[in-house]
Amino acid sequence: FKDGMFHADPHAGNVRLVLDPNAPGGAKPVLLDWGLIREITDAERLGLAKVFHSLANFDIAGLFDVLESLGFSLRQELLNDDLKRDLIEKARGVVKDTINRHKTRENAREELAEFKARLNRAKEDAGMEGSMSPIYFLEDWPRCIIFFMRMLQILRGLCVACDAEGMPLLKIFSSHAREALQEGSRRQMLSSSLRIFGGRGDGIGHETPFTPKARVSRDSTLESQLQQKLQELQSRKQVVGAQVVVLRDNKVICSVAHGTLSTIDARPVQEQTRFPLLGATAGLAGLALLRTLRRKSGELIKAAE
């Protein structure tokens, strides 16, 4: 995630330990045999980081968007919300916390039996022999993913062989992934060219020109109060970044931007920032409720009395 290079064959024969009482766990790892390493581009490096961040946060939309940008070609006619949720759960299962050898064998037998049962059901229902395999939904996938998943599975097997239970693989990988994404977002060349930092404008980080239609008559006192409130919310980690606009009598009386674009995008929020809208139902319903309460406040007070 940081340097764009990884050892693709870290099996037990290629790993040694140097005892060091000052190191975490009392030893430092040493990797041998660098004949099978992979070097990846910035786009692949940060794309993989976005994959782990999306898995850790169960971000279905973000995961499938970055998979496409990495070069995955999915059979769109077969993808639906249920299938996407099923696939992200299986992907999270690959990087779940490690367990001991005995439990691993039990899980492998159970998963094999479940796979065979689902495969038989798929044959009966649709006659598609491979329909329950992820390969069935893929038309193409990038080589960097193949080697990365190989490395990940070898590491997981190493943990199981050593009975290293409770190793939080997803938490460890996603933590480094978040740091890499934050660092990448601060580099103008990357943030303006990579799709993973998109979501606004043309999809690669460029803002869409915006001119407010309402007249602007700023209330500096109100803006100061809102800025202070946003700072309080950010200090309590209740908000990462926000943009607040207040309209009164068809005039913009307040426009405040604060914080950063997201937990993985360290660029500051600006007045022209466009946040991706995932759903407007709750906001519109809340606004309608507040307007109704405002109009009917007198009647409600009398009814309460």
Side-chain angles (χ1 to χ4, degrees), residues 188-210 261 265 267 270 272-275:
Q188 178 63 32
M189 183 181 68
L190 295 177
S191 63
S192 64
S193 62
L194 297 185
R195 177 176 166 181
I196 60 171
F197 293 115
R200 307 171 316 284
D202 57 10
I204 58 171
H206 298 153
E207 300 288 358
T208 303
F210 174 72
L261 293 178
D265 194 334
R267 289 175 294 173
Q270 299 175 347
Q272 69 268 28
T273 295
R274 230 65 83 238
F275 288 100

Side-chain angles (χ1 to χ4, degrees), residues 34-81:
W34 287 79
L36 189 59
I37 67 169
R38 294 295 296 176
E39 291 188 79
I40 54 180
T41 65
D42 281 332
E44 291 171 331
R45 174 175 67 87
L46 295 174
L48 285 170
K50 182 70 175 293
V51 167
F52 278 89
H53 178 77
S54 298
L55 287 175
N57 292 276
F58 216 94
D59 180 2
I60 298 177
L63 175 63
F64 281 86
D65 181 64
V66 74
L67 287 179
E68 184 180 345
S69 70
L70 278 172
F72 278 86
S73 180
L74 303 169
R75 299 179 63 175
Q76 297 297 323
E77 69 274 14
L78 299 176
L79 288 179
N80 53 46
D81 290 343

Side-chain angles (χ1 to χ4, degrees), residues 224-276:
S224 177
Q225 292 173 341
L226 277 174
Q227 191 69 254
Q228 183 178 355
K229 183 61 177 179
L230 289 174
Q231 289 175 352
E232 292 175 3
L233 291 173
Q234 187 180 39
S235 66
R236 296 200 298 265
K237 296 184 178 181
Q238 292 180 291
V239 66
V240 176
Q243 181 190 29
V244 180
V245 174
V246 179
L247 291 170
R248 184 173 63 194
D249 298 329
N250 293 322
K251 294 180 181 179
V252 175
I253 64 170
C254 176
S255 181
V256 174
H258 182 80
T260 59
L261 293 178
S262 74
T263 57
I264 60 171
D265 194 334
R267 289 175 294 173
V269 178
Q270 299 175 347
E271 288 191 7
Q272 69 268 28
T273 295
R274 230 65 83 238
F275 288 100

Side-chain angles (χ1 to χ4, degrees), residues 77-96:
E77 69 274 14
L78 299 176
L79 288 179
N80 53 46
D81 290 343
D82 291 336
L83 178 60
K84 288 181 178 180
R85 281 192 292 269
D86 186 48
L87 290 178
I88 196 173
E89 287 174 357
K90 290 184 180 302
R92 284 171 59 90
V94 173
V95 287
K96 62 186 177 183

